[in-house]
Amino acid sequence: MNTPSFRNWQSVQDEVLRRIHAREWAPGDLIPNEADLAIEFGCARSTVNRALRSLAESGLLDRKRKVGTRVAAQPVAKATLDIAVIRHEVEEHGAKYGYQLIARDIAIPPLSVSGAMKTKADDKLLHVRALHLADDEAYAIEDRWINIRVVPDAEAEMFQSVSANEWLMKHAPYTHGEIAFSAAQASTGDAEIMGVAENSALFAIDRLTWDSAASVTKVRLLFTPGYQLRTGL
Amino acid sequence: MNTPSFRNWQSVQDEVLRRIHAREWAPGDLIPNEADLAIEFGCARSTVNRALRSLAESGLLDRKRKVGTRVAAQPVAKATLDIAVIRHEVEEHGAKYGYQLIARDIAIPPLSVSGAMKTKADDKLLHVRALHLADDEAYAIEDRWINIRVVPDAEAEMFQSVSANEWLMKHAPYTHGEIAFSAAQASTGDAEIMGVAENSALFAIDRLTWDSAASVTKVRLLFTPGYQLRTGL
């Protein structure tokens, strides 16, 4: 072999990528083991490991203990999205952030909410609806249920000037959660609040977070038409 | 200090998370350096490093060379989405996958496409429109432009039985790209193809991929109402 030596894991990664692209290593193929690649590339085995790990994280390689590393047969692209506090997201776009509370009450939620949050059907939760604005225009409607058994401090908070979105991010961290992205038609009420046509296509983010076994909060964010969530691949 | 010793990076991570949640380390605070934490936790410095790296990747810590590690002042949740080949996505949901080519031609694209793909305004590209089905129902419309200077093999491919989505994933890997998620209203034509009401809210994925400096393909995928992209946090 006439391979030049590789100094860092990025150059090893580039060479591995080149072989996958050139189909010298085809989808499903087992590639040489790390020790052999380290010898071929004239680098440390840990350098090869770092490069293969990175390619496995992007879904181009499948690594199985004892079996070895294969070129992914069904490559999956992975996109990582940053889910920021809405105020920060608006300000990062250079716009002026605004906030309006629409409603706040303590109520028994619909069964779809208590079911998802695994609260008792007759447990009262804190319900907050608010409008986030960018340059005085509607940006997103937040419709949120908060489990006040898990976040008792929220009960004292009126959410008049700070959104639940921002307050919870600071005061009620979660250990894990679920997030879903979809499209939804604007209801008459939401369309009116946003100042958009009824049935407009809105980008929706539904998020449910947990602190160990108990749910913290369930929120639906509806963004005004034109909103895009972007990231690199 | 009376801290028990920590054997693995996950237990170090749990303890760091606990301190952040309990606000022993508040947002914006500089936390002790790795060497001091390793002594406190009675573990290797590399174990502390692994734990802090993982927390930084999830946006809970900000690490700056020479400055040190702070609790993130503006915590950002990160969601990782798997973008699979549509056929695999449909089959993973236990549905029968179907595919119909709508149109295939070689044409000069609109300026919005050549501009984004950085092709010359009069370069001809391969344009493919197709319908993906799940259990014989419309699932997604694919509207795609392919740079045939970069992927010349695509010109011989009719996309009658294999979608461009699947073919490209196998034959034209990319080095990087951009992806955007949004909501769009169904046009009259798309609504007719999908069998849904005009102006229905559709979930849209726009993706543009690159191989080094040249664009490979630009695609818009429009999913039928009810589609959700889900992941864990």
Side-chain angles (χ1 to χ4, degrees):
Chain A
M1 295 247 182
N2 222 342
T3 318
S5 78
F6 292 88
R7 305 215 166 177
N8 55 36
W9 69 269
Q10 286 92 345
S11 63
V12 171
Q13 177 177 269
D14 286 349
E15 173 60 15
V16 171
L17 256 182
R18 190 196 63 72
R19 293 180 187 190
I20 295 172
H21 286 194
R23 302 178 72 68
E24 292 172 20
W25 293 345
D29 277 6
L30 206 56
I31 72 169
N33 67 40
E34 286 181 9
D36 289 347
L37 287 173
I39 292 167
E40 187 194 335
F41 291 152
C43 67
R45 189 170 156 169
S46 62
T47 307
V48 173
N49 178 277
R50 179 76 185 80
L52 300 189
R53 200 148 40 86
S54 162
L55 290 166
E57 278 165 12
S58 17
L60 280 158
L61 295 176
D62 279 333
R63 313 189 76 200
K64 289 241 164 58
R65 218 170 267 208
K66 292 186 185 163
V67 178
T69 300
R70 286 182 190 281
V71 179
Q74 310 185 353
V76 170
K78 288 193 192 279
T80 303
L81 295 166
D82 286 349
I83 314 292
V85 170
I86 296 175
R87 180 168 68 81
H88 301 153
E89 183 176 301
V90 167
E91 288 171 352
E92 259 166 41
H93 287 92
K96 186 187 76 175
Y97 174 74
Y99 169 78
Q100 285 167 14
L101 180 67
I102 300 167
R104 178 198 179 284
D105 60 323
I106 291 178
I108 294 176
L111 281 175
S112 61
V113 171
S114 56
M117 293 181 73
K118 294 188 182 156
T119 52
K120 283 188 210 139
D122 58 350
D123 269 359
K124 289 190 172 178
L125 305 180
L126 178 55
H127 187 203
V128 180
R129 276 172 56 79
L131 178 66
H132 299 264
L133 301 104
D135 286 340
D136 302 318
E137 304 258 330
Y139 184 79
I141 290 178
E142 174 179 356
D143 190 315
R144 180 186 294 275
W145 293 88
I146 301 168
N147 189 346
I148 40 184
R149 291 178 183 229
V150 173
V151 198
D153 290 357
E155 218 177 321
E157 185 55 52
M158 289 302 119
F159 301 114
Q160 287 284 359
S161 55
V162 174
S163 73
N165 174 262
E166 186 163 357
W167 189 89
L168 283 166
M169 202 67 111
K170 282 205 182 133
H171 295 85
Y174 53 86
T175 53
H176 62 290
E178 301 138 39
I179 192 165
F181 306 93
S182 61
Q185 288 195 298
S187 67
T188 314
D190 288 343
E192 203 173 299
I193 289 167
M194 287 182 160
V196 301
E198 205 178 319
N199 292 330
S200 292
L202 308 180
F203 187 75
I205 300 184
D206 288 282
R207 195 162 49 193
L208 173 58
T209 53
W210 301 83
D211 192 7
S212 306
S215 60
V216 175
T217 186
K218 184 178 193 310
V219 63
R220 164 160 265 207
L221 297 168
L222 287 172
F223 294 84
T224 40
Y227 179 84
Q228 274 198 331
L229 197 60
R230 307 180 67 93
T231 189
L233 282 176
Chain B
M1 295 247 179
N2 222 344
T3 318
S5 78
F6 291 87
R7 304 211 168 179
N8 55 38
W9 69 269
Q10 285 93 343
S11 62
V12 171
Q13 177 178 270
D14 286 349
E15 173 60 15
V16 171
L17 256 181
R18 189 195 63 72
R19 294 181 186 188
I20 295 173
H21 285 194
R23 302 177 73 68
E24 291 174 21
W25 293 344
D29 277 6
L30 206 55
I31 72 168
N33 66 40
E34 285 181 10
D36 289 347
L37 286 173
I39 292 167
E40 188 193 335
F41 291 151
C43 66
R45 190 172 156 169
S46 61
T47 306
V48 173
N49 178 277
R50 180 75 183 82
L52 299 189
R53 198 147 43 84
S54 163
L55 290 166
E57 279 166 12
S58 11
L60 280 159
L61 294 176
D62 278 335
R63 312 187 78 199
K64 288 242 165 57
R65 218 170 268 210
K66 291 185 185 164
V67 178
T69 300
R70 285 182 192 281
V71 179
Q74 310 183 352
V76 170
K78 288 193 191 277
T80 303
L81 295 166
D82 286 347
I83 315 292
V85 170
I86 296 175
R87 180 167 68 79
H88 301 154
E89 183 175 300
V90 167
E91 289 171 350
E92 259 166 43
H93 287 93
K96 186 187 75 176
Y97 174 74
Y99 169 78
Q100 284 168 14
L101 180 67
I102 300 167
R104 177 198 181 284
D105 61 323
I106 290 178
I108 293 176
L111 281 174
S112 61
V113 171
S114 57
M117 293 181 74
K118 294 189 183 156
T119 52
K120 284 187 210 139
D122 59 349
D123 268 359
K124 290 189 172 177
L125 305 180
L126 178 56
H127 188 203
V128 180
R129 275 172 56 77
L131 177 65
H132 299 263
L133 301 104
D135 285 340
D136 302 317
E137 304 257 331
Y139 184 79
I141 290 178
E142 174 179 357
D143 189 315
R144 180 185 294 273
W145 293 88
I146 300 169
N147 189 345
I148 40 184
R149 291 179 184 230
V150 173
V151 198
D153 289 356
E155 219 178 321
E157 185 55 51
M158 290 302 119
F159 301 114
Q160 287 284 0
S161 53
V162 175
S163 73
N165 173 262
E166 184 163 0
W167 188 89
L168 284 166
M169 202 66 112
K170 281 204 182 137
H171 295 84
Y174 53 86
T175 53
H176 61 291
E178 300 139 39
I179 192 163
F181 306 94
S182 61
Q185 288 195 299
S187 67
T188 313
D190 287 343
E192 202 173 299
I193 290 167
M194 287 182 159
V196 301
E198 206 178 319
N199 292 330
S200 292
L202 308 180
F203 187 75
I205 300 184
D206 288 282
R207 194 163 48 192
L208 173 59
T209 54
W210 302 84
D211 192 7
S212 306
S215 61
V216 175
T217 187
K218 184 178 193 310
V219 63
R220 165 160 264 207
L221 297 168
L222 287 171
F223 294 84
T224 40
Y227 180 84
Q228 273 198 332
L229 197 59
R230 306 180 67 90
T231 190
L233 281 175

